[in-house]
């Protein structure tokens, strides 16, 4: 791996991955990252503002849409790409319910374009790593875990589009013998996440004393992983994972949404109480998830024993320390927050006429 094209590197996980890689001891001096991103509302060059100056020879940003095959081909040839790490996607379930079209375009057609470009240059390609989600498996009841062998059963247009892209990657492995690896990861949290997702939305609303829109009764369960642990897992797979294989990545950290929101409220109250003295838990508002998120998956939980046994990966950050770090990061970065909130202020306000 020398010239690594990272798609979607200005998004939440992509930008954390680029930061992780550039500081990783095994990221050698002759390696280079080419970040290809369309800069949607979720993609911000500001998330990597310090990087070009700090790593002038090792990092390049190139504007580009993965749905535009010609532009992608040009990037691959201009920069002599030998490795692709594919993050670019439309990633928010709620948006996929309102406007599924872009999800099919970017997540399915965009991935297909990259695979085509990759296979036509197979002789000089080293690896295609596809970053995916545990949501492709659908919803769990109270027991059991998602394993690599769990049948796909996606519920939302988002998860269906990611499932399609996973199938395409596997089909290219079987049919064209391309060297590819896949990872299916649980919910991430950490710095630079667009504040429409549960954790950053709740941090920012709670900090400023706004209502906290909890879907249903907040009993749905997610398995949380600190983003840096995810990035480390991806890099392990890229370096040492078996070609053609899929690895599940998870946090061993199942939490009900309501418990996550209450933790955020309590940490913030401890750091900086509201001027009114009101406990932030009183800001919680239960909203109708049948309207906002029809088909809301009940529970996700990952069995990550394969990556643990084969590659020695396990999460390192605890939820308590990771959440506190994340809260401090959002409070310390109001410029970034204002900038990204401005992009979609209407969307971020959409819950307030849905109070049950
Ligand atoms: P994000 O929405 O924060 O970022 C997506 C990035 O992709 C943005 O920089 C955006 O500009 C870019 N992008 C979107 N459409 C594009 C296009 N057509 N061409 C080029 N760039 C485009 O997403 P994220 O949360 O960082 O997720 C990254 C990947 O990880 C996705 O594939 C997602 O499915 C997967 N994933 C996310 C989570 C999670 O909890 N966030 C968990 C597991 C897997
Ligand atoms: P989200 O962060 O959108 O991730 P995903 O749907 O991909 O798991 O949502 C996480 C959980 O939080 C999910 O059960 C829906 C719930 N949720 C709320 O209760 N309120 C909110 O404002 C949001 C965005 C999510």
């Amino acid at each position: 791996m020398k010239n690594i094209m990272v798609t979607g590197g200005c998004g939440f996980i992509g930008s954390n991955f680029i930061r992780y890689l550039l500081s990783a001891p095994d990221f050698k001096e002759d390696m280079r990252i080419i970040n290809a991103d369309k800069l949607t509302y979720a993609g911000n060059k500001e998330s990597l503002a310090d990087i070009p100056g700090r790593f002038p020879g090792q990092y390049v940003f190139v504007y580009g849409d993965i749905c535009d095959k010609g532009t992608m081909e040009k990037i691959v040839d201009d920069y002599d790409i030998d490795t692709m790490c594919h993050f670019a996607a439309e990633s928010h379930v709620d948006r996929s319910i309102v406007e599924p079209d872009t999800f099919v375009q970017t997540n399915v057609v965009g991935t297909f374009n990259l695979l085509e470009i990759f296979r036509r240059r197979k002789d000089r390609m080293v690896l295609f790593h596809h970053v995916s989600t545990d949501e492709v498996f659908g919803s769990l009841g109270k027991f059991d875990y998602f394993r690599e062998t769990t049948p796909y059963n996606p519920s939302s247009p988002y998860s269906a589009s990611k499932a399609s892209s996973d199938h395409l990657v596997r089909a290219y492995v079987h049919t064209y013998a391309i060297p590819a690896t896949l990872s299916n990861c649980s919910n991430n949290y950490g710095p630079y996440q667009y504040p429409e997702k549960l954790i950053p939305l709740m941090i920012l609303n709670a900090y400023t004393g706004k209502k906290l829109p909890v879907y249903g009764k907040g009993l749905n369960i997610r398995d949380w992983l600190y983003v840096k642990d995810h990035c480390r897992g991806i890099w392990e797979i890229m370096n040492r994972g078996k070609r053609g294989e899929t690895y599940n990545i998870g946090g061993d950290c199942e939490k009900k949404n309501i418990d996550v929101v209450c933790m955020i409220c309590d940490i913030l109250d401890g750091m900086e109480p509201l001027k009114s003295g009101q406990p932030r838990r009183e800001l919680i508002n239960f909203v109708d998830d049948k309207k906002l998120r029809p088909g809301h998956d009940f529970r996700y939980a990952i069995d990550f024993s394969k990556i643990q046994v084969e590659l020695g990966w396990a999460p390192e950050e605890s939820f308590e320390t990771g959440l506190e770090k994340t809260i401090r990061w959002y409070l310390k970065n109001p410029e970034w927050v204002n900038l990204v909130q401005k992009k979609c202020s209407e969307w971020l306000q959409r819950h307030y006429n849905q109070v049950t």
Side-chain angles (χ1 to χ4, degrees):
M1 292 188 278
K2 280 215 158 49
N3 292 316
I4 304 174
M5 173 163 149
V6 173
T7 68
C10 291
F12 164 46
I13 307 176
S15 62
N16 277 283
F17 181 72
I18 290 172
R19 283 182 184 283
Y20 175 80
L21 227 58
L22 288 168
S23 308
D26 52 353
F27 190 77
K28 301 189 191 81
E29 272 181 18
D30 62 347
M31 288 176 163
R32 191 163 58 144
I33 294 172
I34 294 83
N35 173 9
D37 198 301
K38 182 189 169 185
L39 301 178
T40 66
Y41 75 97
N44 295 287
K45 278 177 92 174
E46 292 75 11
S47 300
L48 292 165
D50 54 315
I51 295 296
R54 284 174 55 205
F55 301 93
Q58 287 194 292
Y59 172 79
V60 186
F61 170 79
V62 191
Y63 174 82
D65 182 343
I66 59 168
C67 297
D68 175 353
K69 201 166 160 203
T71 301
M72 288 300 121
E73 276 175 322
K74 188 166 172 358
I75 296 171
V76 167
D77 292 336
D78 284 356
Y79 292 96
D80 201 14
I81 299 296
D82 54 47
T83 303
M84 293 186 189
C85 184
H86 177 34
F87 292 90
E90 288 292 336
S91 70
H92 191 31
V93 174
D94 292 351
R95 282 182 194 259
S96 82
I97 293 167
V98 179
E99 41 184 54
D101 196 17
T102 46
F103 285 72
V104 174
Q105 289 308 319
T106 288
N107 299 1
V108 185
V109 180
T111 303
F112 167 71
N113 284 340
L114 296 175
L115 287 167
E116 270 299 279
I117 294 168
F118 190 96
R119 84 155 168 115
R120 288 184 189 283
R121 290 158 181 76
K122 208 176 87 183
D123 293 350
R124 64 169 157 102
M125 290 296 186
V126 176
L127 178 68
F128 185 99
H129 181 76
H130 181 60
V131 180
S132 193
T133 166
D134 62 351
E135 302 195 26
V136 296
F137 299 120
S139 184
L140 289 168
K142 283 194 178 149
F143 308 104
D144 210 1
Y145 293 89
F146 295 137
R147 297 182 178 81
E148 287 80 1
T149 49
T150 302
Y152 276 31
N153 187 21
S155 322
S156 70
Y158 164 65
S159 51
S161 66
K162 290 298 292 187
S164 311
S165 64
D166 292 13
H167 287 316
L168 278 169
V169 178
R170 290 208 189 96
Y172 272 62
V173 170
H174 285 286
T175 307
Y176 305 113
I178 66 159
T181 45
L182 296 89
S183 50
N184 293 86
C185 186
S186 62
N187 286 62
N188 284 214
Y189 68 101
Y192 300 107
Q193 185 168 32
Y194 194 80
E196 62 185 349
K197 304 271 171 71
L198 180 74
I199 289 186
L201 181 93
M202 294 298 164
I203 293 173
L204 295 174
N205 279 15
Y207 182 60
T208 49
K210 292 194 188 123
K211 288 180 184 164
L212 307 177
V214 172
Y215 296 0
K217 292 287 168 225
L219 301 178
N220 300 62
I221 294 168
R222 297 292 181 264
D223 174 0
W224 293 99
L225 181 70
Y226 192 64
V227 63
K228 194 172 176 187
D229 279 330
H230 184 191
C231 297
R232 185 168 46 82
I234 292 171
W235 189 227
E236 288 290 351
I237 296 169
M238 289 175 71
N239 278 298
R240 297 191 293 118
K242 279 194 202 129
R243 280 18 189 176
E245 294 276 320
T246 295
Y247 294 85
N248 278 358
I249 305 181
D252 192 17
C253 177
E254 286 182 58
K255 301 254 177 259
K256 290 187 190 117
N257 293 336
I258 188 69
D259 294 338
V260 172
V261 176
C262 287
M263 273 178 81
I264 292 171
C265 290
D266 296 349
I267 294 173
L268 279 167
D269 284 346
M271 284 177 183
E272 204 173 311
L274 284 173
K275 287 207 175 75
S276 62
Q278 183 191 27
R280 286 182 166 90
R281 286 183 183 217
E282 288 179 11
L283 301 169
I284 291 172
N285 245 279
F286 293 106
V287 297
D288 188 354
D289 62 348
K290 288 192 188 65
K291 285 190 193 130
L292 287 161
R293 194 174 288 200
H296 191 177
D297 286 339
F298 172 62
R299 174 174 166 255
Y300 303 144
I302 288 264
D303 175 345
F304 59 85
S305 47
K306 178 174 171 180
I307 187 171
Q308 189 164 31
V309 171
E310 285 187 19
L311 306 180
W313 178 93
E316 284 176 357
E317 191 78 53
S318 77
F319 191 63
E320 288 69 22
T321 55
L323 189 61
E324 191 166 329
K325 273 188 198 171
T326 305
I327 291 175
R328 287 193 194 284
W329 185 87
Y330 278 91
L331 302 195
K332 268 197 197 145
N333 287 280
E335 280 167 21
W336 184 91
V337 168
N338 289 337
L339 187 98
V340 306
Q341 274 181 334
K342 260 192 231 145
K343 287 183 169 180
C344 301
S345 52
E346 240 173 72
W347 173 258
L348 298 173
Q349 297 295 322
R350 74 196 182 287
H351 303 103
Y352 293 117
N353 48 11
Q354 297 281 354
V355 177
T356 53

